[in-house]
């Protein structure tokens, strides 16, 4: 059955990088049996300019009706002075919330060809292939009560609440376990169980879920140690699963191990495997419209979409192999060229299409 993909380029370099990802999808459609219909929509500043909303109802309806969403990026200088309720970023957060995307998958992959791009020693990171699974719709970012109150003494006090229901922990750990089954079969659950009761419960639930996956080796780390281990010896990890806030911090740290923001894809999934796929970087207004942005993170987001929402492992691997091939050929966009010769956004996209064959 034909699967529907909503294409949301968004703002800034979003337009350029998504155009290259669409080239790749069309190449797989015409040459490798991919049966998809691509539907276009507006989000972010581009949507605000046209409709007065960063997430028009029409876009939301299309997103609900599709099997997956491919998003470029949102935001830019032009919209920074708008009221927070209509800023481009609201479009992204609204999509995550309305689609119930509770599982954020952030791979940190360092292609051996780019080992020199990392600030860590090449032998520590070369060949790194780590997946961080971050809980995205719960925890301290959403817990009530929250706010800033004035105490009797007149001093202000800020407060937030870390809350997780057992079912929320259960479902995110299951996502991590299922992913590990397709990879190295090791999951490290990250918490602060020595200090926070909420994450003490997280650890207990994780262990219970782990018992349902006898083929997966489950370990537990406190978040401070996990941060240390990520920088000391990141290749020890296969899949990490953690709370919203710990995941926010650890996944950015892991991304930087690779040194190349233009290379990293991400996925956000709902209960049924429907997902939104996007590069981890933003709209890069400083380089927008110049044909210099790296489209590979977006193209690799398409590979994740095929793997996790469309169940098409063969074409996912085809894209990943094509990216390896263009890197082997020495093609680099400016961000990963280390000052050497570089190709433009469109040339890189064309090279991947050629490598797919
Ligand atoms: P950014 O990720 O857009 O850019 C950071 C730096 O990385 C810039 O120097 C940029 O040129 C470079 N860069 C980013 N992607 C690149 C690519 N594909 N190829 C080459 N270089 C690349 O982050 P920022 O500058 O903090 O934010 C810019 C705008 O993007 C803001 O409006 C911000 O709110 C928004 N933003 C959006 C998302 C998203 O849509 N998911 C995420 C982060 C930031």
């Amino acid at each position: 059955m034909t699967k529907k993909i909503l294409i949301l380029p968004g703002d800034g370099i979003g337009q350029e990088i998504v155009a290259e990802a669409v080239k790749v999808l069309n190449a797989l459609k015409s040459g490798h049996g991919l049966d998809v219909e691509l539907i276009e929509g507006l989000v972010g500043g581009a949507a605000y300019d046209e409709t007065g909303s960063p997430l028009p109802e029409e876009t939301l309806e299309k997103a609900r009706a599709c099997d997956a969403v491919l998003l470029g990026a949102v935001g830019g200088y032009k919209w920074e002075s708008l009221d927070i309720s209509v800023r481009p970023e609201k479009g992204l957060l609204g999509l995550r919330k309305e689609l119930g995307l509770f599982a954020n998958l952030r791979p940190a992959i360092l292609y051996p060809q780019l080992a020199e791009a990392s600030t860590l020693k090449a032998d520590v990171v070369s060949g790194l292939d780590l997946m961080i699974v971050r809980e995205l719709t719960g925890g301290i970012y959403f817990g009530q009560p929250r706010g800033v109150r004035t105490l009797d003494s007149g001093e202000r006090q800020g407060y937030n609440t870390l809350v997780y229901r057992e079912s929320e922990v259960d479902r995110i750990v299951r996502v991590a376990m299922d992913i590990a089954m397709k990879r190295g079969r090791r999951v490290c659950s990250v918490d602060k169980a020595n200090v926070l009761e909420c994450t003490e419960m997280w650890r207990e639930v994780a262990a219970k879920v782990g018992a349902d996956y006898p083929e997966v080796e489950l370990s537990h780390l406190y978040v401070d140690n996990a941060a240390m281990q990520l920088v000391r010896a990141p290749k020890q990890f296969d899949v990490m699963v953690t709370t919203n806030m710990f995941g926010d911090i650890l996944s950015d740290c892991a991304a930087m191990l690779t040194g190349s923001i233009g290379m990293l894809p991400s996925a956000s999934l709902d209960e049924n495997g429907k997902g939104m796929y996007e590069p981890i970087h933003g709209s890069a207004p400083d380089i927008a419209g110049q044909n210099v942005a790296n489209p590979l993170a977006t193209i690799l987001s398409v590979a994740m979409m095929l793997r996790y929402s469309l169940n098409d492992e063969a074409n996912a691997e085809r894209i990943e192999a094509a990216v390896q091939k263009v890197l082997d050929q020495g093609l680099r966009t400016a961000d990963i060229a280390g000052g050497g010769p570089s190709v433009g956004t469109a040339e890189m996209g064309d090279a991947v299409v050629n490598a797919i064959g």
Side-chain angles (χ1 to χ4, degrees):
M1 203 179 71
T2 307
K3 297 278 174 67
K4 289 184 182 168
I5 302 174
L6 178 61
I7 306 287
L8 299 175
D11 308 317
I13 61 168
Q15 302 284 338
E16 301 160 67
I17 55 181
V18 167
E20 301 313 309
V22 167
K23 276 185 197 167
V24 168
L25 279 164
N26 284 330
L28 294 173
K29 264 178 89 166
S30 57
H32 297 280
L34 181 66
D35 187 10
V36 292
E37 180 190 352
L38 307 185
I39 294 159
E40 299 233 344
L42 288 170
V43 75
Y48 175 82
D49 286 349
E50 198 127 316
T51 68
S53 163
L55 180 57
E57 190 52 40
E58 190 187 340
T59 299
L60 206 47
E61 271 167 32
K62 285 180 181 171
R64 289 195 183 107
C66 281
D67 297 286
V69 179
L70 179 68
L71 184 117
V74 297
Y77 313 131
K78 186 179 169 189
W79 302 283
E80 272 170 13
S81 55
L82 288 177
D83 184 78
I84 195 158
S85 63
V86 288
R87 287 220 195 116
E89 291 74 9
K90 277 279 168 198
L92 191 59
L93 298 177
L95 274 168
R96 285 180 184 160
K97 181 164 173 272
E98 292 299 324
L99 298 179
L101 306 175
F102 72 93
N104 187 217
L105 278 47
R106 293 257 309 245
I109 298 168
L110 184 57
Y111 295 96
Q113 300 93 325
L114 301 179
E116 295 303 326
S118 176
T119 48
L120 295 195
K121 292 193 187 97
D123 63 306
V124 175
V125 286
S126 179
L128 174 73
D129 182 358
L130 156 71
M131 175 72 85
I132 296 194
V133 179
R134 167 189 171 195
E135 201 287 325
L136 201 58
T137 53
I140 198 165
Y141 289 5
F142 295 93
Q144 295 287 349
R146 61 191 295 153
V148 180
R149 60 192 161 209
T150 303
L151 302 174
D152 290 344
S153 64
E155 189 184 10
R156 290 190 310 147
Q157 182 186 51
Y159 56 100
N160 289 89
T161 308
L162 172 61
V163 279
Y164 272 112
R165 281 179 280 120
E166 286 183 294
S167 57
E168 290 175 299
V169 182
D170 184 285
R171 68 178 182 176
I172 193 74
V173 175
R174 271 181 212 283
V175 168
M177 290 286 173
D178 289 337
I179 289 170
M181 286 295 288
K182 296 182 184 173
R183 299 172 40 106
R185 302 195 171 191
R186 284 179 296 119
V187 171
C188 177
S189 172
V190 177
D191 58 49
K192 189 71 183 169
N194 51 340
V195 179
L196 303 172
E197 290 84 350
C198 177
T199 67
E200 196 180 7
M201 186 200 81
W202 173 289
R203 188 176 283 219
E204 285 164 18
V205 176
K208 212 188 270 178
V209 174
D212 290 345
Y213 291 82
E215 289 156 89
V216 177
E217 182 193 316
L218 174 66
S219 59
H220 306 268
L221 276 185
Y222 298 139
V223 64
D224 42 348
N225 190 11
M228 218 159 63
Q229 296 301 328
L230 260 185
V231 181
R232 192 186 69 85
K235 284 191 273 183
Q236 69 183 286
F237 297 113
D238 177 27
V239 177
M240 285 177 129
V241 62
T242 190
T243 66
N244 202 342
M245 184 163 70
F246 296 162
D248 192 3
I249 299 164
L250 292 181
S251 62
D252 266 20
C253 174
M256 280 304 102
L257 295 175
T258 74
S260 41
I261 196 174
M263 294 295 301
L264 295 176
S266 78
S268 304
L269 304 179
D270 77 359
E271 300 256 13
N272 305 310
K274 173 173 171 162
M276 183 158 83
Y277 297 82
E278 55 183 314
I280 67 154
H281 58 73
S283 59
D286 53 332
I287 56 168
Q290 298 173 24
N291 190 41
V292 297
N294 186 346
L296 292 179
T298 317
I299 289 171
L300 289 166
S301 299
V302 173
M304 287 190 86
M305 172 190 290
L306 297 180
R307 175 168 296 126
Y308 293 113
S309 287
L310 272 57
N311 224 355
D312 186 349
E313 180 64 25
N315 275 324
E317 285 179 12
R318 204 164 262 131
I319 293 176
E320 288 162 353
V323 168
Q324 289 273 8
K325 195 167 165 191
V326 298
L327 293 176
D328 280 341
Q329 288 165 349
L331 287 170
R332 304 279 187 272
T333 43
D335 58 310
I336 51 173
S342 61
V343 298
T345 310
E347 292 71 30
M348 184 58 103
D350 290 340
V352 174
V353 167
N354 282 337
I356 283 173

